[in-house]
Amino acid sequence: MKLNKTILVGVVFILLAGVIFLTDILNPIIRPVTYLFLMGSSKGKDIIFFGLLGLFLIFSQIIKKEIDTTKYLKISMVIGAVLLILGILLEVIFRLQMGIKLNTVFCSMTSGMSSTSILHTHLLKAILGEVLTKIMGPFIQSGINTGVGLYAYVPSYAFLVILLIPILFVTIVLAMQKRPWFTNFLLAFFSSCLIIGIIDGGMFATPSYVGIFGLYLVYRNGYYLNYISGKILRDETLLKQNEAIQPCYKNRGFSKKRYLFNRFLIWFVVIAVILLRFTIAFAGAEPDYYTVDIVNPTGDIDLGNISTESVDYAHHNNQNKTTYHIDPQYNEMELINDLKIPLNNSCEYYTVSWNAYSYL
């Protein structure tokens, strides 16, 4: 196999992932950039992102057989969409089994604080985190949240969903074979975001949007993306290779309106899904106050400076539950993070109702 620039770039990205794992020296440079498309980037996400980016670029140069790359790209999009949908279904099933409302954030306090919700699920992350902890426990740094605290609550059959992720990886690699370098880089970038979104965030997370819609953008408009890049960079090789990758809707006798619809359909889908995300968030919001349910407290709880409006106590299904109604002026994320300090080692888990209005 002849070494080429794509492989070298891939190796550089893998080395970068290794540097991020071993030291925080690059965080001030890397984190502000990855934060934009990884939805609150963290050390763990950065490592996975650059590692996957490098692997995809390297593997894109390995297979030399003639294969239908467009077919495998479509298969990748289907598997990616199925994984995102299954992630949300697991959240729903998990909450029905636990008797928890759908419009709440669940926070486990065992093995460190780990949270999950329908709007940002961590259930699949918990399964992978459990596996990695058993294999690489001594090497996983304290700054990397593996979500293992949720593992005890994940439905037992959820590991079957995880098996689709390596299959997705393989189909993406096959979809990248013998494509122009610019398309390969885009597919590597979007695919890395997609896998991170599947593991950490789910259907309504930013990296999931970037990933699944990015793949669809390349599928629909890869020819135009290569053409524009080739013209800007004056890369004749890229332009020549690109001629073999015509859009599926080109030269089919469509009217101008039908042609433009096919070309720009992706943006209508993106807008529709983003609107769906906000509709769910605001429809499930509890703006009058936060309802915080603390399950199986180990003793008297002192929430410190957190302003509470009322407190109720209950015993149901062999569980003790203390319910607080808290001032809605708090930012939702800040409240969840503030609660983990007084509740550390003080309860089994707690839930916090949504309040999307607190972000406005």
Side-chain angles (χ1 to χ4, degrees), residues 19-81:
V19 171
I20 296 172
F21 178 79
L22 295 173
T23 177
D24 295 332
I25 192 172
L26 295 178
N27 284 359
I29 302 173
I30 298 295
R31 193 64 48 79
V33 178
T34 55
Y35 185 92
L36 298 174
F37 52 86
L38 294 184
M39 191 179 184
S41 178
S42 63
K43 188 182 184 75
K45 283 184 183 179
D46 291 345
I47 294 169
I48 295 173
F49 173 73
F50 287 108
L52 286 174
L53 189 58
L55 287 174
F56 279 129
L57 290 176
I58 292 171
F59 286 132
S60 72
Q61 306 301 302
I62 291 178
I63 299 175
K64 299 301 180 183
K65 294 182 180 180
E66 291 293 334
I67 58 175
D68 186 349
T69 57
T70 300
K71 179 183 75 172
Y72 285 106
L73 179 55
K74 288 189 284 188
I75 292 173
S76 298
M77 289 188 290
V78 171
I79 295 176

Side-chain angles (χ1 to χ4, degrees), residues 79-89 194 197-198 202-203 208 212:
I79 295 176
V82 167
L83 277 165
L84 293 173
I85 293 171
L86 288 177
I88 298 301
L89 287 178
L194 175 59
I198 290 169
M203 180 185 293
S208 299
I212 196 70

Side-chain angles (χ1 to χ4, degrees), residues 7-289:
I7 291 178
L8 288 175
V9 172
V11 171
V12 169
F13 280 127
I14 291 177
L15 292 175
L16 179 58
V19 171
I20 296 172
F21 178 79
L22 295 173
T23 177
D24 295 332
I25 192 172
L26 295 178
N27 284 359
I29 302 173
I30 298 295
R31 193 64 48 79
V33 178
T34 55
Y35 185 92
L36 298 174
F37 52 86
L38 294 184
M39 191 179 184
S41 178
S42 63
K43 188 182 184 75
K45 283 184 183 179
D46 291 345
I47 294 169
I48 295 173
F49 173 73
F50 287 108
L52 286 174
L53 189 58
L55 287 174
F56 279 129
L57 290 176
I58 292 171
F59 286 132
S60 72
Q61 306 301 302
I62 291 178
I63 299 175
K64 299 301 180 183
K65 294 182 180 180
E66 291 293 334
I67 58 175
D68 186 349
T69 57
T70 300
K71 179 183 75 172
Y72 285 106
L73 179 55
K74 288 189 284 188
I75 292 173
S76 298
M77 289 188 290
V78 171
I79 295 176
V82 167
L83 277 165
L84 293 173
I85 293 171
L86 288 177
I88 298 301
L89 287 178
L90 284 177
E91 277 282 346
V92 173
I93 294 171
F94 152 71
R95 288 163 186 281
L96 293 177
Q97 290 178 345
M98 295 287 292
I100 299 170
K101 293 181 180 179
L102 297 180
N103 61 334
T104 58
V105 180
F106 175 91
C107 302
S108 168
M109 296 306 290
T110 57
S111 301
M113 188 270 203
S114 301
S115 64
T116 188
S117 75
I118 289 176
L119 294 179
H120 194 89
T121 178
H122 287 145
L123 295 185
L124 296 184
K125 175 183 177 180
I127 301 174
L128 286 178
E130 179 71 12
V131 173
L132 289 175
T133 300
K134 289 181 177 179
I135 297 174
M136 303 175 57
F139 302 100
I140 296 179
Q141 301 177 14
S142 59
I144 299 176
N145 187 346
T146 58
V148 293
L150 297 169
Y151 183 72
Y153 305 99
V154 177
S156 58
Y157 46 81
F159 76 94
L160 294 173
V161 178
I162 293 296
L163 298 179
L164 287 175
I165 294 179
I167 296 175
L168 173 62
F169 183 92
V170 172
T171 59
I172 290 171
V173 169
L174 294 175
M176 295 175 67
Q177 304 305 311
K178 293 192 173 182
R179 288 181 180 268
W181 68 266
F182 187 70
T183 303
N184 271 341
F185 181 81
L186 289 177
L187 288 175
F189 174 83
F190 293 134
S191 300
S192 300
C193 290
L194 175 59
I195 291 177
I196 288 175
I198 290 169
I199 296 171
D200 190 339
M203 180 185 293
F204 300 113
T206 299
S208 299
Y209 290 159
V210 173
I212 196 70
F213 293 129
L215 294 185
Y216 189 65
L217 177 65
V218 172
Y219 169 66
R220 282 284 179 176
N221 292 316
Y223 170 84
Y224 297 103
L225 295 173
N226 285 322
Y227 181 80
I228 294 171
S229 300
K231 287 294 186 181
I232 293 174
L233 299 174
R234 297 181 181 180
D235 189 334
E236 294 298 329
T237 302
L238 175 59
L239 291 172
K240 185 176 180 180
Q241 291 176 333
N242 191 46
E243 288 304 313
I245 310 175
Q246 297 289 325
C248 59
Y249 49 85
K250 193 176 182 182
N251 301 323
R252 292 182 61 180
F254 288 154
S255 66
K256 186 175 181 180
K257 289 183 178 179
R258 174 74 181 277
Y259 174 80
L260 291 175
F261 174 79
N262 278 274
R263 183 174 175 183
F264 296 107
L265 174 63
I266 172 65
W267 304 113
F268 294 107
V269 177
V270 169
I271 293 171
V273 173
I274 291 175
L275 288 175
L276 174 63
R277 198 272 187 203
F278 282 105
T279 299
I280 293 174
F282 283 99
E286 195 172 275
D288 296 332
Y289 49 76

